[in-house]
Amino acid sequence: MKLTVFGEATVSLGGQPVPRVPANFLRIVVYLLLVNAGHSVSRGRLSQVLWSDTDQAHASMNLRQSLARIRKFQEQYGLNLIQGDATYVYLNLSQVKAELLSIDLLDYINFARKGDIDSVLGLCELYKGDLLAQNEQQNSDFDEWLDIERVRLRARRQLQYLALREKPCATKDGVPVALHINAGLAVDLPHIEETGAAGIGLFRTELQFMVAASFPRTAEQFGLYRAVLDAAGEKPVTFRTLDIGGDKVLPYMRNVEEENPALGWRAIRLGLDRPGLLRAQVRALLRAGGGRNLRLMFPMVATVEEFDEAKALVERELTHLRRHGHRLPERVDVGTMVEVPSLLYQLDELLERVDFLSVGSNDLVQFFYAADRSNKRVADRFDTLSVPILRALREIIRKAATHDKSVTLCGEMASQPLSALALVAIGYRALSLAPTAVGPVKAMLIELDAGKAAGLLNPLLDSPAGTVSIREKLKAFAAEQGLQV
Ligand code: PEP
Ligand code: MG
């Protein structure tokens, strides 16, 4: 197999150079190869990467036009390299493998990161053997082939991540970062073992309520919490008390019509106003934690008084159980989610009261920018990786350090390698992620020089000028450092 790395960027088919290759054709092919090892990528992600355009509408129009041109090009040359549907763009790897033989990669020396070029070459090496069998594959049904390739890719990735499982999670310059997982149902429990996570950083107790046909009885709640603690063994589990209301509706609970449910009667507000439900849940949690360490936290707390009230409820339940001769937890740590921006201005008072904090960046970001997280028209308008948000997140971690309290971040951003990079750079040392994100985030972290990342990020956050979104700067840093993000 021959790959020319120098010379004009050309594609030849059957030995004949093809003029006028659609501008983004090579980019798309290489991008798909790099990021998805030849499988599929969502259209949104593809347009974002190819155009780095903050204007989503513009980027997706570019993508639409490029794909239309590629389709024509394919028809003209009888190719079937790229297919698309409304959501995904697929790469027919068996054909692309063949065409790779004649693609000149010069174009990508400027465009692609060094690591990417290596990946392309590595991929070609990897597929050398496959190329021989390619003729048979070309005749097989595309969808079937796609499914098989997907399963293979997943298996290959899992193997890579599995190899990392036992490895301690620390950055290249020796900064330990605890990676926990988010969970909510019994089916999530095997993920603790599979991912090698440090524990469960967020157990969303409302999920049991959301999948049930009626309010789960206390015994059922107890059963689940006990199973969770058993599965976690020595590893810590942080249970969040019921976060219902807002977008988390219980079909069997009388629905209160609200104009702004996200800002309405939800989570701890509902728990404190109708304490019967919260009390029963806390009792089940305390009983399940008998003889062990238990960590509890409250969602959507907006004032220190709310925290005080909720904590007093826990104390009352402890007293009740003690009086009735139940076995109590060895230790109960009580914390709160930081999801409402008002807490940013009560951090000192709050940190004096709590045992720990957990940042719920999904809600914090939506309230911070007043942009509904589930409304597509506005959800992407404000970048999470922006100076105001990162300043706020850094303030939380800095204040917590002065009070010697631990902080975990359990929102979506912890699951994205690029955001995880930013979080570690500003001082976060514990993240709670979707189980599938543990492998990719860990793979990135162990290659990261956290000191260097902090050296890049902190001055950007301290500087009064500059762009609000620093996503591109972080991406450039990751590229320069050869990090997979
Ligand atoms: C959050 O808001 O970031 C969070 C983790 O809570 P949820 O996504 O369950 O609202
Ligand atoms: Mg939340």
Side-chain angles (χ1 to χ4, degrees):
M1 182 175 62
K2 181 172 155 288
L3 264 169
T4 321
V5 185
F6 301 101
E8 289 290 314
T10 57
V11 171
S12 55
L13 295 172
Q16 295 297 310
V18 177
R20 297 162 61 81
V21 179
N24 280 303
F25 175 71
L26 290 179
R27 273 184 158 213
I28 291 178
V29 169
V30 171
Y31 176 72
L32 285 165
L33 275 170
L34 299 179
V35 176
N36 290 316
H39 296 263
S40 66
V41 62
S42 78
R43 279 175 178 262
R45 173 84 184 122
L46 192 55
S47 50
Q48 193 190 11
V49 168
L50 292 177
W51 287 278
S52 311
D53 206 329
T54 43
D55 180 348
Q56 281 300 306
H58 185 234
S60 61
M61 188 186 72
N62 272 341
L63 180 64
R64 247 195 331 273
Q65 286 173 351
S66 283
L67 289 176
R69 291 178 62 205
I70 287 170
R71 209 164 288 135
K72 266 200 179 147
F73 171 80
Q74 296 195 131
E75 273 165 23
Q76 193 179 341
Y77 289 95
L79 296 171
N80 183 21
L81 306 184
I82 290 179
Q83 288 195 351
D85 62 23
T87 322
Y88 286 96
V89 177
Y90 303 111
L91 188 66
N92 185 342
L93 194 56
S94 56
Q95 282 209 356
V96 170
K97 275 178 215 159
E99 297 312 319
L100 258 179
L101 289 171
S102 51
I103 287 179
D104 188 308
L105 295 174
L106 176 71
D107 231 17
Y108 297 100
I109 296 208
N110 292 327
F111 156 70
R113 313 185 291 250
K114 181 180 170 296
D116 291 350
I117 296 277
D118 290 344
S119 319
V120 174
L121 298 176
L123 269 167
C124 294
E125 278 300 313
L126 200 69
Y127 291 133
K128 212 191 291 185
D130 292 1
L131 284 166
L132 301 172
Q134 163 209 324
N135 283 340
E136 289 155 44
Q137 280 194 4
Q138 270 177 354
N139 297 333
S140 69
D141 174 64
F142 182 73
D143 289 330
E144 194 184 317
W145 168 82
L146 195 65
D147 282 345
I148 296 167
E149 285 291 327
R150 270 209 201 101
V151 171
R152 273 203 203 134
L153 170 71
R154 233 175 274 141
R156 218 163 35 229
R157 290 221 172 117
Q158 285 316 318
L159 278 178
Q160 282 168 4
Y161 299 144
L162 210 62
L164 294 182
R165 198 179 64 167
E166 305 304 332
K167 224 177 142 122
C169 186
T171 61
K172 206 162 67 178
D173 53 337
V175 176
V177 181
L179 297 183
H180 299 263
I181 55 166
N182 294 342
L185 294 170
V187 291
D188 297 328
L189 299 180
H191 296 317
I192 309 173
E193 229 359 74
E194 285 160 17
T195 57
I200 297 182
L202 166 66
F203 191 87
R204 291 180 162 105
T205 59
E206 63 276 7
L207 294 191
Q208 184 189 27
F209 286 68
M210 288 165 78
V211 298
S214 57
F215 275 113
R217 287 143 62 134
T218 322
E220 289 170 72
Q221 297 178 42
F222 169 85
L224 175 63
Y225 306 150
R226 178 50 73 81
V228 173
L229 290 168
D230 284 345
E234 293 299 305
K235 296 181 176 179
V237 178
T238 304
F239 289 98
R240 177 174 75 183
T241 60
L242 279 175
D243 185 9
I244 44 177
D247 56 342
K248 294 169 180 164
V249 186
L250 302 185
Y252 46 86
M253 191 168 146
R254 196 158 56 86
N255 212 358
V256 185
E257 279 292 316
E258 292 183 302
E259 211 146 285
N260 277 314
L263 306 180
W265 198 50
R266 53 176 289 202
I268 197 64
R269 302 167 184 186
L270 198 151
L272 294 175
D273 289 350
R274 294 271 186 284
L277 202 55
L278 183 59
R279 227 169 30 220
Q281 182 186 32
V282 167
R283 195 171 295 178
L285 282 162
L286 293 173
R287 287 193 50 207
R292 316 170 193 224
N293 293 340
L294 189 69
R295 289 166 63 84
L296 301 181
M297 66 179 175
F298 310 115
M300 291 293 294
V301 167
T303 66
V304 287
E305 287 79 8
E306 280 175 347
F307 176 78
D308 288 343
E309 231 186 293
K311 184 164 181 196
L313 184 146
V314 175
E315 299 287 357
R316 276 198 302 278
E317 288 313 310
L318 271 171
T319 308
H320 173 88
L321 291 178
R322 193 176 295 119
R323 201 177 294 141
H324 288 79
H326 287 283
R327 188 165 183 220
L328 298 182
E330 296 279 328
R331 176 192 167 123
V332 184
D333 284 331
V334 185
T336 181
M337 299 277 290
V338 180
E339 316 183 84
V340 183
S342 61
L343 283 190
L344 298 174
Y345 295 90
Q346 302 168 76
L347 283 172
D348 283 320
E349 298 89 329
L350 187 67
L351 282 157
E352 274 165 22
R353 292 159 156 89
V354 298
D355 294 311
F356 64 91
L357 293 179
S358 184
V359 181
S361 54
N362 306 337
D363 276 314
L364 187 61
V365 170
Q366 81 160 339
F367 297 132
F368 203 83
Y369 278 126
D372 181 349
R373 70 195 235 192
S374 56
N375 179 343
K376 286 207 165 48
R377 281 177 201 270
V378 295
D380 294 333
R381 193 174 182 87
F382 306 98
D383 195 353
T384 309
L385 291 178
S386 62
V387 170
I389 302 253
L390 291 171
R391 279 183 185 152
L393 295 177
R394 189 178 62 169
E395 185 63 12
I396 298 170
I397 198 89
R398 284 187 173 170
K399 275 268 161 66
T402 65
H403 289 261
D404 203 18
K405 297 284 163 69
S406 64
V407 184
T408 305
L409 187 140
C410 62
E412 257 301 298
M413 66 184 293
S415 295
Q416 294 152 8
L418 190 68
S419 315
L421 187 166
L423 291 168
V424 170
I426 59 173
Y428 282 78
R429 299 293 176 255
L431 304 174
S432 193
L433 337 171
T436 49
V438 173
V441 169
K442 188 168 180 181
M444 182 281 295
L445 286 175
I446 57 184
E447 294 298 326
L448 174 70
D449 184 327
K452 263 197 194 145
L456 165 83
L457 206 46
N458 284 317
L460 286 174
L461 301 187
D462 292 332
S463 115
T467 50
V468 168
S469 169
I470 54 165
R471 184 174 293 276
E472 292 311 316
K473 290 203 172 80
L474 280 168
K475 274 192 197 160
F477 171 81
E480 185 194 299
Q481 302 286 315
L483 301 168
Q484 291 288 325
V485 290

